[in-house]
Each structure stands twice: as structure tokens, then as C-alpha cells.
Amino acid sequence: RPIKLGGHQALVGAGHVAALAACHAIDTHRSSGRPTHSDVSAQDAAIVTGPVLRLAHAMFRCTGASGARRNGAPAGFYHCRDGLVRISAMEDHQFQALCRAFDNPSWAEDFSSSQARLERADDLDELVSEHLADWTKVESEERLQHAGVPATAIYNVEDIVDWPQFRSRSSFSPVRLADTDSLTVGPPFRAMRVDPGTIAASRPRPSGLAGLRVAEAGHVLAVPLATSLLGAMGATVTKLEDPDRLDVYRRRGPYVDGTAGNDDSDGSPSLERSAYFAVMNHSKRSVVLDLERNREAVDAVLKSSDVLIENLGPRRARRLRLDAVSATNDHPHLVAISSSGWGQDGPWSSYKAYAYNLHAACGLCSQTRTAAGDPAEIDLAWGDLISAFAIATIVAAWSIAGDSPDAESCRAIDFSMAELLAARFNEMIAATASGLPGGSPEDGTSHLAPFAPNSVYAAKDQRWIAISVTSEESWEALSQVLGAQSLLVELGRGGESHRTAAQYGIDTFLADLVAEWEATELVEQLQRVGVAAAVVANEFDLLEDQHLEERGLFPWVEHPVWGNNRLVGLPWRIVGAGEVSVGVPPLLGDTKIDCVTEDSVSSRIRGG
């Protein structure tokens, strides 16, 4: 049964997208001198901040499973003595760390390879659960994180209000709610203190996105996608690719057409056929350089850039002097953003995190429930995707800010993904902090006050239909279309508050009526009379959707290795200018700089 994300996530996502689209519109207006209209689609926004990886799997005709379990195990929820913990051991070194936390159990040898862990994931889950059964969820989190395992307990809104990490970072903002002092999570970024002795270079600021030069030291999803968005909007983006630590999305599947391919050198899987890399790394170029040993090359790239964005992890970034503070102290002309799971300081700043761990910690899993009332396993990289749009918006806003003093003061920026994710539940946090109702999670029927009914129903053709009644008029229209007006009017008598209280009974009655219709036919009838309704779509439906095709959400590009294929484009249009084009994903090292030598780079890449 389809489950909606807790809260109003589709519409809040449209707001995130609209902020970035507004920056693009302002930039376009300044360069053209003409009135500019940015057309933002909430449907497009929900897609690009949701099922993008599943879309990549479908559009590139990949084989095998998609989702969190594709790359590693253990990956999922595990029961502890007093709750659940989310573990995401995607890499060999993370599994080895988990074994150390378990005092190197005898069964560890049986799962030494990632292939063995994937093939026997269910057996591994049982063994992991046995070890966690006597630990509390906080103890599990602390022990595993201390060993270097991305593991996070599932926290609810009450836990977030009391979080030591947020309290130590002053993440909360006071708000007055119903004559009561309350709290919300504030902006997810802050300016960091830099050396006051550094004086910004005299070279002029970029005149907009088209003149912006961005260096990316990023991996996996949030930062690579943020820079791809900027690249599609006109910035020149250079991805720094370290031969010793290539982006996991570049070196792993799923692969285009299910074929890893190989390089001529030694038959190793090709580094140009990853579907996920293609979707998250369009509109940029690639420079291969050793971040650890070739400081001259790193500095050369930074000297020729206006912005640096990195998510290497606080410890490694500081060692490489690529964290926001070090980078701006070394290169005073730069604006630098360090993106991390928890922020650059605080008791959890060293914690490892994938999006799935952040979902567990920041309220998404707690607020999104199955029909049985259990936290839902949400197999979307939601946290990474919304972070990408937020990071891109920060940079785009700075690039169009001109000589604003505020813009000049934000040279080194600490971006916390956890704060962004938790802020998506600010209405629940505020209610909980003030002792008002409204902080408890919704259930798997998708009920969402004040809309009633608001759920999904199975049609005759086994497809699901989402229906949301938002007024008395739409309730009456729904009753007429379903042909049970007298019965439904009686069920809904008393108005919205009555329907909210009686929605379980209404759902049961509606389910029987909807089951008599073909999904598409019923949705067309309901939309015609003003009832919000839609057929629940999967990734294949989206790729065949005529409306999305006409809007150009999936533009075609020509790649030198895998040929002509669609990507996921920008979820807005500048009216009169056509769709926003996206660039081809870069070949590894397709751009050269003078101080990078080739002597050992290729062999080290292949060895990795």
C-alpha cells in the first residue's frame, strides 16, 4: 500500500525548488533586461526530490535491485532492547567496523565480501539482530558510530526537541505559538569564523550564474547534485576526482543496460557506465588529482574558482585543508561550503551518515508510519536530494547578491543536513515543544488533518488512486461521482471535523466504491468536478507520462560511451526560453590542468 511521507513533503519540496528557480529567474532577468517568468511544477519538484534513483534505474535499463540494499548489507532497521536502529554498512570497511563493534564474531568470515553479504542478507540480518538484542538503541548507535559504522537510532519529535547536538549548535529558533513560547529548527547553515587577517582578493565578484566558477570535492549525492543544478543554470563546475577515493557512484553500478563494460587496460568495470553517477553528475567537467599529495594542483583549481563545495567529512576535509574555514583562509577570495550530516561541531559532528540514517534520526521515519503503526522504511534518498537543492540555492543566491554586505560576510558556510531535514517537521516540533496537540506521527492510511478523506484506494484494475477532499464542495462532488450521494452525505454530515473523526469508517466505505472503477477513468471524472485525485505512479509510468515529456523533465543527452539517453532535468522552466538544458556527465579526467602529472594516476584508479 503506498504511504505518503509525513507532513506536507511534496509541497514543501516545491517551495525548496521555487527558491532556486527564483534565483535562476533573477539571474536571467538581469542578463536579458526583460520581465522573467519562472514556471515551477510541484509535480516535477516532487519527482526530483523523491524517486530519482529509481528513475535512473528505469531510464538506463539497469538490471538487479534498486534501493538501499543494492550496494551493501546490513542495511535496514534492526530491533534493539528499547527501539530500532538504522544501519547502513555499504562499504567493506564499514562492515569490518561493525564486526569490531561486535568483538569480531566467528561468523564474520562468512560475509567478508560484499557479494556474500548481499546474497545472504537475511542470514546476516538475523546475526546482527542477535547482537543488538541486549543493547539499547542509543547504546547501539554510540558503539557502532564509535567504530565507524553509519548507524542511527530512530528518534521522534520529542527526542529532537531535546537533542544535545541541536542544543549545542543553537539550532533552535524561538517562536510564539498560541500564546506559548515554542521552538522550531532554524536555517540549516551558518557563517563560520575565519581568520580576520585574511583580506579578500580584489578581483571582481562573479556577475551571475553564467560567470560563476564552482569547484566540487563531493561524493555520492547531495553535493554532486547541487553542483549539477548550478551547472545546468550556467555555472562552470569542476569536479575534483581523487584516484584513491573515487566517488562510489562512479565506481559502482547499477550500470547502463545492465552492463559494467570494461576499460582496455585490465578488464575492470568501466568508470563511465554508472546510471546513478550519470543522473547526479551532469553539467560539469572532471579533473583527476590526488587531494592528499598534489597540493599544487588543488590550489590551482581553487585559485581559479569562486566557490568550493565539499562533503568529504569534517575530519578528512580538515586534514586536506578543504573544509570551509581552511579553504577560505588559504584562498580569501573563495566562498566555501562544508556540507555534512550533523554539522562541523557538536557531540555528533563525527557521526557517519547516509540519507537513510538521517531519515531515522530527524523524524521522517517516526512521522511516516505503516498501516500497522510501525516506522516506514523509506527507500528514497530524500535527505540527500532536498539538501542538494538547499545547497545550490545558497550558492545561487550569493552569486546574484552583488555587493551585499551580508553576502560578503558568509565566506565559510557550515551546512547541516540534519537541521534541514528536521526543519521539514517544524510544525510538529513547535507543537511538541509548546505542549500542544499535533506532534504525534500520522499513520499509514495517509490521514492528514484537516483533509478528510485523504488516502489511497485500490481500483478495479489493481492500481491505486490518491484522493484528497479539501472542502465541503469537493466532498459533495466526490459523492456524486461515486454514485452514492445519499450514503456519503450521511457519513459526512457534520462537516470537516466530523469527517476527520470518522475517516476510518469513511475509508472503508470509499474503498468498496472505488474498487468498482478503473483508476484512470475515476481520476478523470473526479478532476473534472474539482476533486484532488491522481493515479499513483511508479517510475515507469513517469517516464511514459505525456505531460512530463512535454515539459521536458527528462532531456536527452549524447554520451561518448553509452550514447543517447535521458537524464532528469530541472523542475522549472523560464517561460519563453524553452526547457533548461543539461550537460553531458563528464568522462573521468576529461579536463586537464598543467600541474597534474599522469605517471601513476591511471594505475591507481584501476587499482581502486
Side-chain angles (χ1 to χ4, degrees):
R1 180 189 186 98
I3 298 172
K4 68 176 286 296
L5 299 182
H8 301 264
Q9 297 310 323
L11 297 183
V12 179
H16 278 236
V17 166
L20 183 56
C23 293
H24 193 197
I26 293 169
D27 185 65
T28 303
H29 169 66
R30 286 183 173 176
S31 61
S32 70
R34 297 191 300 271
T36 304
H37 172 197
S38 182
D39 169 17
V40 180
S41 159
Q43 181 191 23
D44 292 0
I47 291 169
V48 301
T49 58
V52 176
L53 295 184
R54 289 186 178 274
L55 275 168
H57 212 271
M59 66 173 48
F60 282 100
R61 304 161 300 283
C62 301
T63 56
S66 62
R69 286 227 177 206
R70 178 185 56 79
N71 270 337
F77 292 150
Y78 298 87
H79 284 276
C80 305
R81 196 171 74 217
D82 62 346
L84 293 169
V85 66
R86 167 74 203 205
I87 298 175
S88 303
M90 301 298 183
E91 305 267 10
D92 286 343
H93 68 88
Q94 292 166 349
F95 177 71
Q96 293 160 8
L98 179 138
C99 292
R100 289 195 299 273
F102 290 165
D103 295 326
N104 296 311
S106 57
W107 47 259
E109 267 188 41
D110 298 335
F111 300 94
S112 58
S113 71
S114 60
Q115 189 62 33
R117 295 194 293 275
L118 288 171
E119 289 175 354
R120 297 182 56 199
D122 291 342
D123 295 336
L124 180 57
D125 284 349
E126 287 188 22
L127 293 167
V128 171
S129 296
E130 287 176 11
H131 274 268
L132 296 175
D134 294 331
W135 296 359
T136 67
K137 65 180 185 180
V138 173
E139 183 182 13
S140 301
E141 175 185 86
E142 290 176 346
R143 288 194 184 190
L144 292 171
Q145 285 282 1
H146 181 73
V149 182
T152 317
I154 290 185
Y155 292 106
N156 57 32
V157 170
E158 289 86 353
D159 298 322
I160 292 172
V161 169
D162 293 325
W163 254 4
Q165 177 66 10
F166 279 11
R167 295 285 181 178
S168 71
R169 284 174 55 82
S170 302
S171 303
F172 293 108
S173 298
V175 64
R176 193 76 175 162
L177 185 66
D179 297 323
T180 304
D181 288 332
S182 190
L183 297 173
T184 59
V185 180
F189 66 94
R190 65 207 59 198
M192 303 173 71
R193 289 181 59 86
V194 297
D195 185 350
T198 62
I199 301 174
S202 60
R203 78 184 195 196
R205 284 169 51 84
S207 57
L209 289 165
L212 190 68
R213 295 167 296 183
V214 179
E216 174 215 311
H219 62 106
V220 187
L221 205 164
V223 164
L225 177 56
T227 60
S228 292
L229 296 170
L230 293 167
M233 294 162 66
T236 299
V237 178
T238 303
K239 184 179 182 74
L240 308 183
E241 303 207 61
D242 191 326
D244 289 334
R245 295 200 185 191
L246 286 179
D247 192 330
V248 66
Y249 273 6
R250 187 183 274 285
R251 56 187 165 86
R252 285 189 176 183
Y255 298 106
V256 177
D257 293 320
T259 304
N262 60 72
D263 290 330
D264 295 334
S265 53
D266 60 2
S268 299
S270 171
L271 296 172
E272 310 296 351
R273 295 187 62 83
S274 167
Y276 289 0
F277 182 87
V279 170
M280 296 303 158
N281 287 274
H282 60 77
S283 309
K284 65 182 69 169
R285 59 189 187 179
S286 165
V287 168
V288 176
L289 55 82
D290 189 323
L291 299 179
E292 193 90 38
R293 302 177 184 89
N294 198 340
R295 188 68 208 183
E296 181 186 2
V298 174
D299 285 338
V301 173
L302 297 186
K303 285 176 182 176
S304 63
S305 301
D306 304 300
V307 177
L308 167 68
I309 312 176
E310 65 87 11
N311 65 346
L312 301 173
R315 187 178 305 168
R316 183 168 183 243
R318 291 185 189 116
R319 188 177 75 249
L320 298 174
R321 295 196 65 78
L322 288 173
D323 64 289
V325 171
S326 299
T328 51
N329 282 338
D330 292 344
H331 301 277
H333 68 279
L334 271 180
V335 165
I337 298 179
S338 286
S339 171
S340 60
W342 311 100
Q344 299 294 301
D345 57 14
W348 288 13
S349 60
S350 63
Y351 274 20
K352 312 294 182 186
Y354 290 106
Y356 301 101
N357 302 101
L358 292 165
H359 297 172
C362 298
L364 182 65
C365 294
S366 174
Q367 290 291 333
T368 308
R369 297 279 174 161
T370 67
D374 299 321
E377 173 67 278
I378 299 159
D379 205 2
L380 299 171
W382 175 79
D384 281 320
L385 295 164
I386 64 172
S387 294
F389 276 84
I391 293 167
T393 303
I394 293 169
V395 176
W398 174 81
S399 76
I400 62 176
D403 295 325
S404 162
D406 289 337
E408 290 302 329
S409 68
C410 294
R411 288 175 45 220
I413 295 175
D414 170 10
F415 182 88
S416 165
M417 296 174 68
E419 289 167 13
L420 177 73
L421 271 62
R424 297 286 285 255
F425 302 100
N426 261 341
E427 65 268 42
M428 293 85 164
I429 290 172
T432 298
S434 61
L436 295 171
S440 59
E442 302 158 25
D443 57 33
T445 60
S446 300
H447 292 160
L448 181 64
F451 309 120
N454 183 94
S455 193
V456 290
Y457 308 90
K460 182 166 63 175
D461 54 3
Q462 304 304 307
R463 301 198 71 182
W464 291 91
I465 300 173
I467 300 174
S468 183
V469 170
T470 58
S471 66
E472 292 302 309
E473 291 75 18
S474 60
W475 171 251
E476 292 175 6
L478 172 69
S479 305
Q480 290 174 356
V481 170
L482 291 175
Q485 187 173 3
S486 60
L487 289 172
L488 287 174
V489 166
E490 187 62 32
L491 279 171
R493 192 179 301 281
E496 180 185 281
S497 60
H498 173 79
R499 292 199 308 275
T500 299
Q503 55 192 333
Y504 287 98
I506 292 174
D507 280 348
T508 301
F509 190 72
L510 285 180
D512 293 336
L513 295 175
V514 172
E516 299 175 4
W517 291 73
E518 296 288 336
T520 301
E521 180 187 1
L522 178 54
V523 166
E524 288 176 352
Q525 294 260 17
L526 292 175
Q527 285 283 357
R528 193 173 296 127
V529 296
V531 177
V535 178
V536 175
N538 61 30
E539 60 268 38
F540 300 100
D541 298 325
L542 296 176
L543 290 176
E544 295 173 2
D545 187 284
Q546 184 65 33
H547 177 73
L548 295 175
E549 182 178 342
E550 290 181 6
R551 285 187 59 80
L553 183 61
F554 306 123
W556 291 86
V557 299
E558 183 71 33
H559 189 273
V561 173
W562 39 256
N564 197 33
N565 209 89
R566 287 181 288 183
L567 294 176
V568 180
L570 302 187
W572 68 85
R573 301 290 171 267
I574 302 297
V575 175
E579 67 184 58
V580 182
S581 62
V582 300
V584 179
L587 297 176
L588 182 65
D590 64 3
T591 300
K592 309 299 180 186
I593 55 177
D594 293 340
C595 48
V596 175
T597 59
E598 303 262 356
D599 53 356
S600 62
V601 167
S602 59
S603 62
R604 283 161 55 201
I605 289 173
R606 298 266 44 91

